[in-house]
Amino acid sequence: MFTPRAPRDEAPNALTNMYRCRDGRWLTLSLLDEERQWPALLRAVEEQSLEYDPRFATKAARHANARDLVVIFDHIFLARDFAEWRRRLDAAGLVFGFVATLDDVAADNQARENGFILPIEDTSFETIDSPIYLDGEEKHSPEQAPEIGQSTDSILLEAGFAEDEIASMRAAGIVR
């Protein structure tokens, strides 16, 4: 059983939370070594004054006042685009992620090099490879989904319906 995640504005730890950037992109802070990373984060976001705020002076205080800190970080991260935050957080050696868009996924070199993005047979489209592997079963290449109603006749014939019954169902709009 999974514990439900608290709404982001009620996060118990503001340093492991998601924040929206000015360009609408979202980033996820994942600072687990808070005592070491807190000063680096404050330098990266240019808010060193928070280091002297008693509400955030210690890890315990930051957690007790996480909602206040989330509000502050919401304003901070909305001030710049994601690309700028990425540059700043990377330069500070901080751990963060981002909520990927479909374009991000399609352009991800690591995903491509690991074979996670595959062409769909007989099309110009691509898809994400299934992460499921079953012992003793061979994975199949992705295929284009059938058109709506493409297999109706064969399925109904296999189920024992006669061709004239299928034609009647189709005429009545029961099946496609």
Side-chain angles (χ1 to χ4, degrees):
M1 178 179 204
F2 292 101
T3 303
R5 183 180 178 113
R8 55 166 239 82
D9 59 336
E10 297 174 18
N13 183 354
L15 302 187
T16 57
N17 201 16
M18 293 176 38
Y19 296 96
R20 187 174 184 182
C21 303
R22 181 173 60 196
D23 57 2
R25 300 290 306 269
W26 288 82
L27 63 83
T28 303
L29 288 180
S30 187
L31 307 184
L32 302 179
D33 186 1
E34 286 187 40
E35 296 306 328
R36 184 181 63 78
Q37 295 172 312
W38 175 244
L41 175 63
L42 296 182
R43 285 190 300 277
V45 301
E46 297 179 348
E47 290 292 339
Q48 291 92 330
S49 63
L50 290 177
E51 195 165 4
Y52 306 105
D53 187 321
R55 296 174 298 165
F56 315 123
T58 66
K59 179 178 178 177
R62 285 189 292 276
H63 289 208
N65 295 291
R67 288 182 180 179
D68 292 342
L69 192 51
V70 167
V71 170
I72 292 168
F73 281 158
D74 277 342
H75 292 290
I76 289 171
F77 285 109
L78 273 172
R80 293 186 168 88
D81 290 345
F82 173 75
E84 176 65 15
W85 287 124
R86 179 179 225 165
R87 186 189 66 71
R88 288 168 170 263
L89 297 172
D90 275 340
L94 298 171
V95 180
F96 69 98
F98 64 97
V99 178
T101 64
L102 290 176
D103 289 337
D104 293 330
V105 173
D108 188 292
N109 288 333
Q110 185 176 9
R112 288 190 174 281
E113 289 174 17
N114 284 297
F116 298 149
I117 299 174
L118 300 175
I120 298 175
E121 237 175 61
D122 300 324
T123 73
S124 60
F125 299 108
E126 295 178 308
T127 189
I128 306 296
D129 189 23
S130 168
I132 299 171
Y133 291 86
L134 300 174
D135 223 13
E137 293 295 323
E138 182 181 332
K139 284 185 80 169
H140 297 280
S141 297
E143 298 174 357
Q144 187 169 6
E147 295 293 324
I148 294 174
Q150 179 176 327
S151 304
T152 300
D153 289 356
S154 61
I155 291 169
L156 291 174
L157 285 168
E158 189 177 319
F161 290 92
E163 288 185 17
D164 62 330
E165 291 175 300
I166 297 170
S168 293
M169 284 190 271
R170 193 176 302 285
I174 297 169
V175 297
R176 286 191 188 188

mmCIF file of all heavy atoms in Angstrom, residues 31-55:
data_model
loop_
_atom_site.group_PDB
_atom_site.id
_atom_site.type_symbol
_atom_site.label_atom_id
_atom_site.label_comp_id
_atom_site.label_asym_id
_atom_site.label_seq_id
_atom_site.Cartn_x
_atom_site.Cartn_y
_atom_site.Cartn_z
ATOM 1 N N LEU A 31 16.370 17.409 -2.288
ATOM 2 C CA LEU A 31 17.529 17.661 -1.445
ATOM 3 C C LEU A 31 17.408 16.847 -0.158
ATOM 4 O O LEU A 31 16.693 17.218 0.761
ATOM 5 C CB LEU A 31 17.649 19.159 -1.141
ATOM 6 C CG LEU A 31 17.632 20.078 -2.374
ATOM 7 C CD1 LEU A 31 17.850 21.513 -1.959
ATOM 8 C CD2 LEU A 31 18.644 19.643 -3.408
ATOM 9 N N LEU A 32 18.127 15.745 -0.110
ATOM 10 C CA LEU A 32 18.021 14.830 1.023
ATOM 11 C C LEU A 32 19.094 15.075 2.077
ATOM 12 O O LEU A 32 18.932 14.673 3.221
ATOM 13 C CB LEU A 32 18.064 13.388 0.535
ATOM 14 C CG LEU A 32 16.955 13.030 -0.469
ATOM 15 C CD1 LEU A 32 17.088 11.595 -0.924
ATOM 16 C CD2 LEU A 32 15.576 13.295 0.112
ATOM 17 N N ASP A 33 20.190 15.708 1.686
ATOM 18 C CA ASP A 33 21.253 16.054 2.642
ATOM 19 C C ASP A 33 21.103 17.540 2.949
ATOM 20 O O ASP A 33 21.918 18.372 2.574
ATOM 21 C CB ASP A 33 22.618 15.734 2.035
ATOM 22 C CG ASP A 33 23.755 15.937 3.015
ATOM 23 O OD1 ASP A 33 23.502 16.318 4.186
ATOM 24 O OD2 ASP A 33 24.918 15.725 2.612
ATOM 25 N N GLU A 34 20.030 17.858 3.657
ATOM 26 C CA GLU A 34 19.621 19.257 3.841
ATOM 27 C C GLU A 34 20.677 20.128 4.490
ATOM 28 O O GLU A 34 20.860 21.277 4.083
ATOM 29 C CB GLU A 34 18.352 19.327 4.696
ATOM 30 C CG GLU A 34 17.123 18.913 3.970
ATOM 31 C CD GLU A 34 15.877 19.148 4.798
ATOM 32 O OE1 GLU A 34 15.783 20.193 5.480
ATOM 33 O OE2 GLU A 34 14.992 18.288 4.755
ATOM 34 N N GLU A 35 21.315 19.632 5.515
ATOM 35 C CA GLU A 35 22.279 20.484 6.233
ATOM 36 C C GLU A 35 23.383 20.958 5.300
ATOM 37 O O GLU A 35 23.807 22.104 5.369
ATOM 38 C CB GLU A 35 22.850 19.750 7.452
ATOM 39 C CG GLU A 35 21.811 19.414 8.508
ATOM 40 C CD GLU A 35 20.985 20.609 8.989
ATOM 41 O OE1 GLU A 35 21.482 21.747 9.041
ATOM 42 O OE2 GLU A 35 19.801 20.395 9.318
ATOM 43 N N ARG A 36 23.830 20.085 4.404
ATOM 44 C CA ARG A 36 24.884 20.455 3.464
ATOM 45 C C ARG A 36 24.320 21.239 2.280
ATOM 46 O O ARG A 36 24.935 22.190 1.789
ATOM 47 C CB ARG A 36 25.592 19.184 2.961
ATOM 48 C CG ARG A 36 26.775 19.470 2.049
ATOM 49 C CD ARG A 36 27.446 18.203 1.555
ATOM 50 N NE ARG A 36 26.586 17.362 0.733
ATOM 51 C CZ ARG A 36 26.311 17.599 -0.563
ATOM 52 N NH1 ARG A 36 26.815 18.640 -1.170
ATOM 53 N NH2 ARG A 36 25.534 16.785 -1.235
ATOM 54 N N GLN A 37 23.135 20.882 1.798
ATOM 55 C CA GLN A 37 22.609 21.457 0.567
ATOM 56 C C GLN A 37 21.833 22.759 0.759
ATOM 57 O O GLN A 37 21.693 23.530 -0.184
ATOM 58 C CB GLN A 37 21.718 20.420 -0.143
ATOM 59 C CG GLN A 37 22.508 19.210 -0.616
ATOM 60 C CD GLN A 37 21.617 18.109 -1.146
ATOM 61 O OE1 GLN A 37 20.638 17.741 -0.505
ATOM 62 N NE2 GLN A 37 21.954 17.591 -2.306
ATOM 63 N N TRP A 38 21.337 23.011 1.959
ATOM 64 C CA TRP A 38 20.559 24.223 2.218
ATOM 65 C C TRP A 38 21.316 25.491 1.837
ATOM 66 O O TRP A 38 20.789 26.317 1.071
ATOM 67 C CB TRP A 38 20.089 24.220 3.675
ATOM 68 C CG TRP A 38 19.381 25.446 4.141
ATOM 69 C CD1 TRP A 38 19.807 26.305 5.113
ATOM 70 C CD2 TRP A 38 18.107 25.954 3.710
ATOM 71 N NE1 TRP A 38 18.885 27.310 5.309
ATOM 72 C CE2 TRP A 38 17.834 27.115 4.456
ATOM 73 C CE3 TRP A 38 17.195 25.538 2.750
ATOM 74 C CZ2 TRP A 38 16.678 27.868 4.268
ATOM 75 C CZ3 TRP A 38 16.041 26.300 2.574
ATOM 76 C CH2 TRP A 38 15.789 27.441 3.322
ATOM 77 N N PRO A 39 22.553 25.686 2.305
ATOM 78 C CA PRO A 39 23.269 26.913 1.909
ATOM 79 C C PRO A 39 23.500 27.009 0.396
ATOM 80 O O PRO A 39 23.386 28.093 -0.186
ATOM 81 C CB PRO A 39 24.599 26.821 2.653
ATOM 82 C CG PRO A 39 24.348 25.871 3.785
ATOM 83 C CD PRO A 39 23.331 24.902 3.277
ATOM 84 N N ALA A 40 23.786 25.879 -0.248
ATOM 85 C CA ALA A 40 24.003 25.890 -1.703
ATOM 86 C C ALA A 40 22.716 26.266 -2.436
ATOM 87 O O ALA A 40 22.749 27.009 -3.420
ATOM 88 C CB ALA A 40 24.501 24.524 -2.171
ATOM 89 N N LEU A 41 21.591 25.771 -1.953
ATOM 90 C CA LEU A 41 20.305 26.126 -2.562
ATOM 91 C C LEU A 41 20.046 27.624 -2.428
ATOM 92 O O LEU A 41 19.646 28.281 -3.389
ATOM 93 C CB LEU A 41 19.163 25.329 -1.923
ATOM 94 C CG LEU A 41 17.750 25.704 -2.407
ATOM 95 C CD1 LEU A 41 17.585 25.421 -3.894
ATOM 96 C CD2 LEU A 41 16.709 24.959 -1.587
ATOM 97 N N LEU A 42 20.304 28.162 -1.246
ATOM 98 C CA LEU A 42 20.050 29.589 -1.031
ATOM 99 C C LEU A 42 20.929 30.454 -1.930
ATOM 100 O O LEU A 42 20.485 31.489 -2.431
ATOM 101 C CB LEU A 42 20.245 29.948 0.436
ATOM 102 C CG LEU A 42 19.259 29.270 1.401
ATOM 103 C CD1 LEU A 42 19.519 29.732 2.824
ATOM 104 C CD2 LEU A 42 17.822 29.507 0.986
ATOM 105 N N ARG A 43 22.167 30.023 -2.157
ATOM 106 C CA ARG A 43 23.036 30.757 -3.092
ATOM 107 C C ARG A 43 22.493 30.654 -4.515
ATOM 108 O O ARG A 43 22.455 31.637 -5.251
ATOM 109 C CB ARG A 43 24.470 30.243 -3.019
ATOM 110 C CG ARG A 43 25.229 30.693 -1.779
ATOM 111 C CD ARG A 43 26.719 30.364 -1.847
ATOM 112 N NE ARG A 43 26.990 28.939 -1.986
ATOM 113 C CZ ARG A 43 27.032 28.071 -0.968
ATOM 114 N NH1 ARG A 43 26.824 28.480 0.266
ATOM 115 N NH2 ARG A 43 27.297 26.795 -1.195
ATOM 116 N N ALA A 44 22.045 29.462 -4.898
ATOM 117 C CA ALA A 44 21.547 29.246 -6.263
ATOM 118 C C ALA A 44 20.295 30.074 -6.542
ATOM 119 O O ALA A 44 20.114 30.560 -7.656
ATOM 120 C CB ALA A 44 21.256 27.764 -6.494
ATOM 121 N N VAL A 45 19.446 30.242 -5.536
ATOM 122 C CA VAL A 45 18.214 31.008 -5.736
ATOM 123 C C VAL A 45 18.375 32.470 -5.298
ATOM 124 O O VAL A 45 17.414 33.235 -5.328
ATOM 125 C CB VAL A 45 16.999 30.352 -5.024
ATOM 126 C CG1 VAL A 45 16.771 28.938 -5.549
ATOM 127 C CG2 VAL A 45 17.123 30.379 -3.521
ATOM 128 N N GLU A 46 19.589 32.822 -4.880
ATOM 129 C CA GLU A 46 19.928 34.182 -4.459
ATOM 130 C C GLU A 46 19.042 34.670 -3.319
ATOM 131 O O GLU A 46 18.528 35.779 -3.335
ATOM 132 C CB GLU A 46 19.876 35.154 -5.643
ATOM 133 C CG GLU A 46 20.891 34.824 -6.710
ATOM 134 C CD GLU A 46 20.836 35.750 -7.909
ATOM 135 O OE1 GLU A 46 19.860 36.526 -8.050
ATOM 136 O OE2 GLU A 46 21.773 35.699 -8.720
ATOM 137 N N GLU A 47 18.887 33.819 -2.311
ATOM 138 C CA GLU A 47 18.076 34.164 -1.134
ATOM 139 C C GLU A 47 18.811 33.772 0.148
ATOM 140 O O GLU A 47 18.247 33.154 1.048
ATOM 141 C CB GLU A 47 16.715 33.461 -1.197
ATOM 142 C CG GLU A 47 15.795 33.982 -2.255
ATOM 143 C CD GLU A 47 15.288 35.397 -1.995
ATOM 144 O OE1 GLU A 47 15.306 35.854 -0.834
ATOM 145 O OE2 GLU A 47 14.875 36.040 -2.971
ATOM 146 N N GLN A 48 20.106 34.162 0.253
ATOM 147 C CA GLN A 48 20.903 33.800 1.427
ATOM 148 C C GLN A 48 20.304 34.317 2.725
ATOM 149 O O GLN A 48 20.576 33.783 3.793
ATOM 150 C CB GLN A 48 22.349 34.295 1.283
ATOM 151 C CG GLN A 48 23.140 33.567 0.227
ATOM 152 C CD GLN A 48 23.088 34.250 -1.141
ATOM 153 O OE1 GLN A 48 22.112 34.908 -1.494
ATOM 154 N NE2 GLN A 48 24.133 34.076 -1.928
ATOM 155 N N SER A 49 19.461 35.338 2.648
ATOM 156 C CA SER A 49 18.855 35.891 3.866
ATOM 157 C C SER A 49 17.997 34.854 4.588
ATOM 158 O O SER A 49 17.815 34.924 5.807
ATOM 159 C CB SER A 49 18.015 37.120 3.542
ATOM 160 O OG SER A 49 16.934 36.758 2.698
ATOM 161 N N LEU A 50 17.488 33.869 3.856
ATOM 162 C CA LEU A 50 16.672 32.827 4.491
ATOM 163 C C LEU A 50 17.483 31.983 5.475
ATOM 164 O O LEU A 50 16.925 31.373 6.374
ATOM 165 C CB LEU A 50 16.041 31.917 3.436
ATOM 166 C CG LEU A 50 14.950 32.526 2.574
ATOM 167 C CD1 LEU A 50 14.467 31.528 1.527
ATOM 168 C CD2 LEU A 50 13.790 33.013 3.424
ATOM 169 N N GLU A 51 18.791 31.984 5.306
ATOM 170 C CA GLU A 51 19.644 31.205 6.207
ATOM 171 C C GLU A 51 19.565 31.748 7.637
ATOM 172 O O GLU A 51 19.777 31.013 8.592
ATOM 173 C CB GLU A 51 21.101 31.241 5.704
ATOM 174 C CG GLU A 51 21.976 30.198 6.331
ATOM 175 C CD GLU A 51 23.283 30.011 5.585
ATOM 176 O OE1 GLU A 51 23.562 30.743 4.613
ATOM 177 O OE2 GLU A 51 24.038 29.129 5.999
ATOM 178 N N TYR A 52 19.235 33.020 7.770
ATOM 179 C CA TYR A 52 19.183 33.657 9.088
ATOM 180 C C TYR A 52 17.764 33.770 9.631
ATOM 181 O O TYR A 52 17.555 34.270 10.722
ATOM 182 C CB TYR A 52 19.846 35.038 9.023
ATOM 183 C CG TYR A 52 21.237 34.937 8.460
ATOM 184 C CD1 TYR A 52 21.516 35.338 7.156
ATOM 185 C CD2 TYR A 52 22.263 34.376 9.215
ATOM 186 C CE1 TYR A 52 22.780 35.201 6.621
ATOM 187 C CE2 TYR A 52 23.535 34.237 8.683
ATOM 188 C CZ TYR A 52 23.787 34.648 7.385
ATOM 189 O OH TYR A 52 25.052 34.502 6.868
ATOM 190 N N ASP A 53 16.803 33.285 8.854
ATOM 191 C CA ASP A 53 15.413 33.294 9.304
ATOM 192 C C ASP A 53 15.242 32.139 10.285
ATOM 193 O O ASP A 53 15.483 30.980 9.931
ATOM 194 C CB ASP A 53 14.489 33.120 8.093
ATOM 195 C CG ASP A 53 13.022 33.286 8.429
ATOM 196 O OD1 ASP A 53 12.600 32.818 9.518
ATOM 197 O OD2 ASP A 53 12.294 33.840 7.596
ATOM 198 N N PRO A 54 14.851 32.400 11.533
ATOM 199 C CA PRO A 54 14.754 31.322 12.531
ATOM 200 C C PRO A 54 13.768 30.216 12.134
ATOM 201 O O PRO A 54 13.928 29.073 12.562
ATOM 202 C CB PRO A 54 14.295 32.028 13.805
ATOM 203 C CG PRO A 54 13.897 33.398 13.415
ATOM 204 C CD PRO A 54 14.506 33.705 12.087
ATOM 205 N N ARG A 55 12.799 30.524 11.278
ATOM 206 C CA ARG A 55 11.856 29.493 10.838
ATOM 207 C C ARG A 55 12.529 28.418 9.992
ATOM 208 O O ARG A 55 12.010 27.305 9.858
ATOM 209 C CB ARG A 55 10.721 30.109 10.011
ATOM 210 C CG ARG A 55 9.839 31.066 10.769
ATOM 211 C CD ARG A 55 8.847 31.732 9.832
ATOM 212 N NE ARG A 55 9.560 32.515 8.812
ATOM 213 C CZ ARG A 55 9.010 32.989 7.692
ATOM 214 N NH1 ARG A 55 7.728 32.758 7.444
ATOM 215 N NH2 ARG A 55 9.722 33.693 6.838
#
